[in-house]
Amino acid sequence: MLLVLKVAPVSLPAPCERDANHKPASRADRALKLTMSATRYRNSTAGQSRELVLVICALLLVALFSLTGILTRAFHKKQAALAAEWYAKGNVCLAANSPREALDDYRRALIFDPENEPYQLHLAQALAQLGRQEEARAYLLNLLSDRPGDGEVNFELARLAAETGNIDDAVRFYHAAVYGAWESDPVAAQLRARLELSQFLVRHGERTQAEAELMSLAANIPDRDAQLHTQAGDLFQSMGDLSGALSEYRFALKAVPENLTARIGAGMVSFKLGNYSKAIEDLEIAAKADPENKTVATTLETARLAIESDPFSPRLSVREKAQRVSTALSRAIQRADQCSASSKNANAAPLAALAAQAKSQRESIWSERNLLSHPDQLDPAMEMVFKIETAANQTCGEPSSFDVALQLIERKLRAMQEGAPE
Amino acid sequence: MSGAAPTVPAATPPTKASAWATFIARLAGTRRRWVSVFSEDHLFLMLAVLIGIFAGLSVVLFRISIEWIQLLLLGPAVHPSVTRVLLAPTLAGLVVALLVIHVFPRVRGSGVNQTKAAVYVFDGYVPFSTVIGKFITCAIAIGSGQSLGPEDPSLQIGAGIASRLGRSLKLSREKIRLIAPVGAAAGLAAAFNAPISAVLFVIEEVIGNWSGGVLGAIVLAAVSSVVVMRQFLGTNALFRIPPFRLEHSSELLAYAVLGIVGGGASVLLLQAIAGIRPRLRRLPRWTEYFQPALAGLLIGLIGIRVPQVMGAGYPIIDWALHDQFTWNMLLLLAACKIVATSLSFVSGTPGGMFAPTLFIGAMLGGAVGGVEHLFFHQLTGTVGAFALVGMGTLFAGFLRVPITSVFMVIEVSGSYSAILPVMISNTIAYLISRQFQQTSLFDLLARQDGMILPSVEEQRERVLLRVEDAMPERDGAAATPEEMFADAIRRAGVTSELCFLAGGPVGWRVYRRVTKSDEAKADEGVTSEASPFLYLDLPLEDALQIMADWPVLPVISRVNAQSLEGVLAHADIMRAFREVGSIEPS
């Protein structure tokens, strides 16, 4: 009776009560039924003892635990299979340079296996490839909070920071990657990270830091890793450290003599260092391997001309010297004539005057025969060649290989005169 | 003293039957001792653990069922095919409607309210068929893409299991009434993987006070259910949260803006439910067969373009927390989810509102963060951080559980670093929601369902009257104890027999003028009785209990028991209650 009284408020009309025709008493009836069933239940279970109920509960728990265990295991297995399937699809798409499709696949994989770190890392990589740096960064930072010393995560974060030009963050994450833990081939991965750090520093003009990193990199590259030596050589070269670059190229060529990039690099660096014979040696091999490479061909030709046209080379007879000076003078006068004729530049007049002066001298004292008999005129004649070439460079366009060779000869001469090391 | 020595009876070897009898007698003795030591309070606590384990297992099965049905109906792709998106929620809606109308009619409505009804109306009775019904219908509805969540059903599953166990173990009526919230906490804790939030929610929304009798059991149940759940589904928090940064306190203003927007959205969602649900319920009964299906079809239509709004949407929240959407996409997701959730809920499809609330909050938070970033580039909080705070904001504004909302964010994020923004944003959203929508969601739903359950929010905010509020002000110069007493006697309407009162080393006593019939017992015509006393800060309800039949009582100081602060009459208490109108039935 008491219970019946208690449900009485349930039947009171509420503000949102249905209209009067629509079973107004049904809810109260339901509540009443509910209460009556509560009472009936209390009476029906009166005979059972607590011990019996607890025993039944224990048995039920065992059964429920087993059932849950079986179902959970089956479910996790299914989830893992689906996750792996979508992950594999994502990898295929990422490899095929379709990061958008890969992104969807990785996301799906992560729905089935949300804590999988490689999945998250790949998702971040796909996002980064799509140019969604902030989103990739969010995922990576989350991963980093779980694995602060992970080399790969730090490496990806460093790359993102590098792309956005955040130097401090990039350097911090690159360093963390260099000294971090990598799952596979840690030495190569750490060197790769240091190389990228060096490249980044070079790009951003952080020369001192870049040098330190490069030295450390060069010291740790295994002898057999020709590619890394070559890349280090390129970096040294871009920083202007030609000796360092040459050394790295040589290491690379020692490991893999067929490495064309290293061969070209070595030839170019030797050429810049004025070691034309070594340059010719390397560039000839490179030109054979890659005959289409115009830079190699031009540099090779220039190097050859720089050797063949240099009147200051030791152990040359006076005749040879006179011949070379005479050839150089003729080439300089020819260039000046062509240049002053075609150019309306203000420098054209002085160039023409220099050419006229050189011509008159060639008629008199700087003829090949006169030079042979008056070797003291070799140097003044070459000085005139250098003057004309310099003036022509300011007036005209691209010099020919021969003109470049003449300039290189001048540079070498000045260096010798100043006592600078070659 | 001679005589034969007393004979000792020879020891006879015990027979098999007597050995058994001894064993059973010992067993019975042990049981009696066990029963005498093991009081009902102990049993209640032990039962809480058992409830937690059962609830944890059930929630694990429930979550797996949802996932499996989702895989089955919508497939494993991120963007399911149009056919699946349209057919799955529509057909599932029809099935759910049939089940709800013909097999499990009690599964309609909010699990929170049904648990409250069990506590306040039905003596803790939650029919076990509701547990089965909620499990089946909600798994089908959520798995098919209806925009609802599994937490509220989990809560009710827990409450139903608790009620069933309590009844089977024949607990006292007092304990049975309290058992449903214990199970509710266990179910919610397992669903959220957040025991503290579950305990707080049940205290904040279902019970309404920190009753020592039930708190221990609730905590035990919540913890044991989470332990069981983690055993099967892993220990990871519900969401993976990126690191949270707040570099300058001025950035809190940005989160205050989020609080305002969150409060507005809460009001919008509440009023949508308040407006549409009763209208749909007034429609003819046959339409109830088609309402969930129609809602499913409309959600499917939304899902063709925005499939993220289908289902509970936890992975999508995770993506938002990781800055995976632009602000305009987040805004679109929030708007679509508000529509989809309103459709699902008002159509009578069984399911909870917790997950959609988190979803909308996260999207809205992220969108606000994204827009703020457009104008203030120096903000250090990421869009994901705003999404995290947004989850708590809508939870506070829509569900009106401000304390739970703060702890929920902390628990799901596993970090305290977001505490300040969350507190600010949640408080603002809660206040705005209170200002523009008087009735909270659960009270609103209860009233729409024809029940007037005690409103925990109203209880929480009711003005607590104290003795000092009822004690009349007096002129300080004239306030001698005798005058105060005389005044009080007059207000109490008692004139003759009470005389005066006095304090002293033996405590406060009331002296009474003796009537003729009692003259024999009296000494010099006056009798005295030790009286209880009141303090100024005592709640008036307590004062009324202490006062009992005394027409007046002394009010003394807590620091000096001899100092009389005033005298309170019964009439003073009634006047104070009348003035604030709290004796009127709500």
Side-chain angles (χ1 to χ4, degrees):
Chain A
M1 188 54 198
L2 178 69
L3 289 168
V4 174
L5 284 173
K6 280 198 165 188
V7 281
V10 176
S11 62
L12 288 173
C16 306
E17 188 77 71
R18 292 177 185 208
D19 57 354
N21 303 330
H22 191 72
K23 302 189 6 177
S26 66
R27 215 168 295 136
D29 288 347
R30 271 212 300 274
L32 185 59
K33 274 182 197 166
L34 193 64
T35 315
M36 292 315 288
S37 40
T39 316
R40 267 206 308 278
Y41 181 83
R42 211 170 289 130
N43 297 335
S44 70
T45 54
Q48 290 174 14
S49 73
R50 282 181 176 171
E51 287 84 348
L52 181 65
V53 173
L54 286 173
V55 169
I56 293 170
C57 282
L59 292 175
L60 260 176
L61 266 186
V62 172
L64 207 55
F65 253 104
S66 312
L67 177 71
T68 313
I70 292 166
L71 288 176
T72 315
R73 211 167 299 127
F75 180 65
H76 284 161
K77 211 170 156 186
K78 173 86 177 163
Q79 276 191 317
L82 282 168
E85 190 184 320
W86 287 102
Y87 177 62
K89 281 183 187 172
N91 284 346
V92 170
C93 291
L94 201 62
N97 208 17
S98 306
R100 193 169 296 282
E101 288 74 22
L103 185 65
D104 278 348
D105 296 339
Y106 288 138
R107 276 187 170 160
R108 200 65 210 172
L110 274 169
I111 287 176
F112 296 119
D113 191 357
E115 298 300 322
N116 192 306
E117 288 168 353
Y119 294 3
Q120 290 181 48
L121 189 64
H122 277 79
L123 176 72
Q125 284 170 343
L127 284 166
Q129 280 195 22
L130 279 168
R132 292 156 68 171
Q133 274 96 353
E134 274 308 308
E135 296 159 51
R137 198 179 136 81
Y139 258 100
L140 290 169
L141 285 175
N142 188 42
L143 273 177
L144 194 70
S145 62
D146 291 339
R147 301 190 297 174
D150 188 286
E152 206 166 356
V153 175
N154 278 296
F155 190 44
E156 290 299 330
L157 276 166
R159 283 178 157 178
L160 285 177
E163 273 178 38
T164 49
N166 187 338
I167 296 177
D168 291 342
D169 273 2
V171 171
R172 183 163 57 90
F173 286 128
Y174 271 128
H175 273 145
V178 168
Y179 300 109
W182 295 74
E183 272 178 20
S184 61
D185 201 358
V187 177
Q190 284 162 349
L191 287 171
R192 201 170 70 239
R194 200 185 282 280
L195 177 77
E196 274 203 28
L197 169 60
S198 308
Q199 286 169 335
F200 172 74
L201 290 169
V202 169
R203 270 203 309 277
H204 285 82
E206 301 286 333
R207 199 183 158 81
T208 318
Q209 253 188 297
E211 262 176 353
E213 294 298 336
L214 261 178
M215 303 287 267
S216 180
L217 175 71
N220 289 304
I221 300 174
D223 289 346
R224 63 185 185 286
D225 196 338
Q227 196 190 354
L228 210 53
H229 275 300
T230 310
Q231 286 175 315
D234 290 343
L235 273 177
F236 273 120
Q237 195 181 348
S238 63
M239 277 173 52
D241 184 351
L242 299 178
S243 311
L246 189 60
S247 161
E248 289 304 312
Y249 290 134
R250 292 280 170 241
F251 272 120
L253 289 170
K254 200 173 162 190
V256 183
E258 299 79 25
N259 187 325
L260 185 61
T261 316
R263 184 66 72 186
I264 293 172
M268 290 296 188
V269 170
S270 296
F271 177 81
K272 284 178 188 166
L273 284 169
N275 192 344
Y276 302 120
S277 54
K278 277 282 177 197
I280 290 167
E281 226 172 76
D282 287 319
L283 291 173
E284 275 179 344
I285 297 169
K288 268 183 202 164
D290 183 11
E292 301 299 315
N293 193 325
K294 283 183 182 165
T295 314
V296 169
T298 313
T299 312
L300 179 60
E301 191 191 351
T302 311
R304 279 179 182 150
L305 285 169
I307 287 179
E308 287 164 7
S309 318
D310 186 359
F312 307 109
S313 293
R315 291 185 296 279
L316 281 182
S317 64
V318 177
R319 176 175 297 280
E320 276 177 300
K321 282 183 179 176
Q323 264 178 355
R324 289 184 179 189
V325 170
S326 175
T327 312
L329 191 62
S330 303
R331 168 62 202 155
I333 290 168
Q334 188 191 351
R335 190 184 179 201
D337 286 344
Q338 285 170 354
C339 193
S340 50
S342 63
S343 174
K344 293 183 173 67
N345 196 312
N347 294 330
L351 181 63
L354 274 176
Q357 192 187 344
K359 275 181 198 167
S360 72
Q361 296 281 53
R362 190 175 59 177
E363 300 300 318
S364 53
I365 55 169
W366 288 346
S367 65
E368 193 176 329
R369 196 181 301 160
N370 249 4
L371 288 170
L372 200 60
S373 53
H374 298 92
D376 58 309
Q377 287 299 313
L378 289 171
D379 284 356
M382 279 311 285
E383 283 300 329
M384 176 57 79
V385 170
F386 295 148
K387 274 184 189 170
I388 292 171
E389 285 295 335
T390 309
N393 278 348
Q394 290 164 5
T395 313
C396 315
E398 284 289 299
S400 69
S401 297
F402 195 76
D403 297 315
V404 174
L406 289 173
Q407 288 162 25
L408 291 174
I409 292 165
E410 184 193 4
R411 204 178 300 158
K412 193 176 166 187
L413 179 70
R414 302 277 181 255
M416 283 168 70
Q417 284 168 351
E418 287 167 15
E422 193 172 308
Chain B
M1 287 295 288
S2 69
T7 52
V8 178
T12 50
T15 61
K16 222 175 199 179
S18 68
W20 269 111
T22 315
F23 174 72
I24 289 167
R26 276 186 190 159
L27 208 65
T30 313
R31 181 182 173 270
R32 269 196 301 277
R33 277 197 299 279
W34 184 73
V35 167
S36 65
V37 172
F38 207 74
S39 69
E40 189 166 48
D41 284 342
H42 295 132
L43 180 67
F44 191 64
L45 288 177
M46 197 194 79
L47 185 58
V49 177
L50 200 63
I51 289 167
I53 297 171
F54 270 114
L57 288 169
S58 308
V59 171
V60 169
L61 288 173
F62 183 50
R63 279 174 61 176
I64 289 177
S65 307
I66 292 172
E67 299 275 342
W68 226 313
I69 290 171
Q70 192 169 14
L71 267 181
L72 211 68
L73 297 181
L74 293 174
V78 177
H79 301 285
S81 67
V82 176
T83 322
R84 278 177 185 266
V85 166
L86 287 178
L87 283 184
T90 311
L91 295 179
L94 279 174
V95 173
V96 166
L98 283 171
L99 286 173
V100 168
I101 293 167
H102 293 291
V103 189
F104 306 111
R106 289 174 192 146
V107 302
R108 270 173 188 266
S110 153
V112 175
N113 280 341
Q114 290 183 20
T115 307
K116 273 171 87 172
V119 175
Y120 295 109
V121 184
F122 300 122
D123 279 347
Y125 181 71
V126 179
F128 198 69
S129 62
T130 312
V131 175
I132 299 168
K134 276 273 176 183
F135 190 111
I136 295 172
T137 54
C138 293
I140 295 173
I142 301 167
S144 71
Q146 291 271 6
S147 180
L148 294 165
E151 295 80 11
D152 185 273
S154 300
L155 179 148
Q156 202 177 355
I157 288 170
I161 289 171
S163 171
R164 182 73 172 82
L165 282 172
R167 282 179 279 129
S168 299
L169 285 167
K170 288 183 278 185
L171 294 182
S172 64
R173 174 181 248 172
E174 180 203 349
K175 293 291 180 197
I176 285 266
R177 287 183 78 144
L178 291 174
I179 206 146
V182 174
L188 191 61
F192 259 137
N193 191 7
I196 301 173
S197 307
V199 170
L200 285 174
F201 180 82
V202 169
I203 297 286
E204 205 172 11
E205 188 53 49
V206 180
I207 303 177
N209 58 51
W210 293 86
S211 157
V214 74
L215 184 63
I218 288 177
V219 171
L220 276 177
V223 169
S224 49
S225 75
V226 169
V227 168
V228 169
M229 189 280 296
R230 287 182 180 175
Q231 180 68 30
F232 290 101
L233 297 181
T235 55
N236 300 313
L238 202 54
F239 303 112
R240 292 162 301 129
I241 311 288
F244 186 92
R245 279 199 305 170
L246 182 76
E247 289 196 351
H248 199 275
S249 48
S250 62
E251 289 184 39
L252 290 172
L253 285 173
Y255 293 100
V257 174
L258 172 56
I260 295 168
V261 177
S266 304
V267 173
L268 184 75
L269 197 54
L270 276 167
Q271 290 190 344
I273 289 169
I276 303 169
R277 194 167 178 257
R279 285 190 178 84
L280 283 183
R281 289 176 72 94
R282 276 198 291 272
L283 291 174
R285 188 173 161 75
W286 63 266
T287 60
E288 287 180 7
Y289 287 94
F290 302 102
Q291 285 178 17
L294 185 63
L297 181 66
L298 293 172
I299 290 165
L301 286 171
I302 298 171
I304 292 172
R305 294 302 302 270
V306 193
Q308 294 91 334
V309 300
M310 298 183 80
Y314 284 136
I316 315 302
I317 297 175
D318 195 78
W319 297 352
L321 291 171
H322 287 86
D323 292 3
Q324 300 294 293
F325 301 111
T326 55
W327 70 266
N328 36 13
M329 183 63 187
L330 287 165
L331 204 59
L332 176 73
L333 286 174
C336 290
K337 191 71 176 179
I338 288 176
V339 175
T341 306
S342 305
L343 284 170
S344 285
F345 194 74
V346 298
S347 69
T349 311
M353 292 290 280
F354 289 70
T357 307
L358 294 180
F359 186 106
I360 297 164
M363 301 305 141
L364 211 59
V368 170
V371 172
E372 287 182 0
H373 269 281
L374 291 179
F375 296 102
F376 308 102
H377 301 289
Q378 67 275 22
L379 276 178
T380 52
T382 59
V383 170
F386 277 86
L388 174 66
V389 177
M391 283 200 300
T393 304
L394 212 78
F395 212 82
F398 181 60
L399 299 178
R400 300 271 187 84
V401 278
I403 299 172
T404 307
S405 68
V406 172
F407 278 86
M408 193 268 304
V409 171
I410 290 168
E411 241 180 335
V412 299
S413 67
S415 161
Y416 278 91
S417 51
I419 185 94
L420 281 181
V422 169
M423 286 176 81
I424 287 173
S425 185
N426 288 14
T427 308
I428 292 172
Y430 176 71
L431 293 175
I432 289 174
S433 181
R434 286 269 310 145
Q435 180 67 33
F436 294 101
Q437 174 66 36
Q438 286 295 311
T439 318
S440 75
L441 174 73
F442 296 115
D443 294 341
L444 187 77
L445 296 176
R447 286 171 199 183
Q448 286 179 355
D449 292 340
M451 283 194 284
I452 305 169
L453 293 172
S455 167
V456 177
E457 194 173 53
E458 283 170 15
Q459 280 176 22
R460 205 165 43 222
E461 294 182 13
R462 185 180 298 159
V463 180
L464 184 66
L465 287 177
R466 298 179 187 280
V467 167
E468 62 190 351
D469 300 317
M471 226 169 60
E473 282 184 23
R474 290 174 184 85
D475 180 7
T480 63
E482 291 74 17
E483 284 171 357
M484 285 193 271
F485 188 64
D487 278 352
I489 288 290
R490 196 168 49 252
R491 285 198 304 281
V494 185
T495 50
S496 58
E497 63 273 14
L498 277 166
C499 167
F500 59 91
L501 78 168
V506 288
W508 288 90
R509 301 188 73 80
V510 171
Y511 288 81
R512 193 189 294 262
R513 192 176 295 138
V514 179
T515 55
K516 279 190 178 168
S517 59
D518 289 339
E519 205 165 336
K521 301 176 206 166
D523 179 19
E524 296 177 359
V526 172
T527 183
S528 73
E529 275 180 275
S531 83
F533 44 80
L534 307 171
Y535 296 114
L536 283 172
D537 59 311
L538 207 64
L540 274 192
E541 282 90 347
D542 295 355
L544 206 54
Q545 270 187 12
I546 294 169
M547 191 162 256
D549 291 334
W550 292 89
V552 292
L553 278 182
V555 180
I556 61 166
S557 160
R558 279 193 189 270
V559 289
N560 179 8
Q562 306 302 314
S563 162
L564 184 72
E565 300 282 340
V567 178
L568 191 71
H570 195 276
D572 298 334
I573 297 177
M574 299 318 288
R575 195 199 63 242
F577 279 138
R578 211 172 289 119
E579 275 172 9
V580 295
S582 59
I583 55 170
E584 297 292 322
S586 62

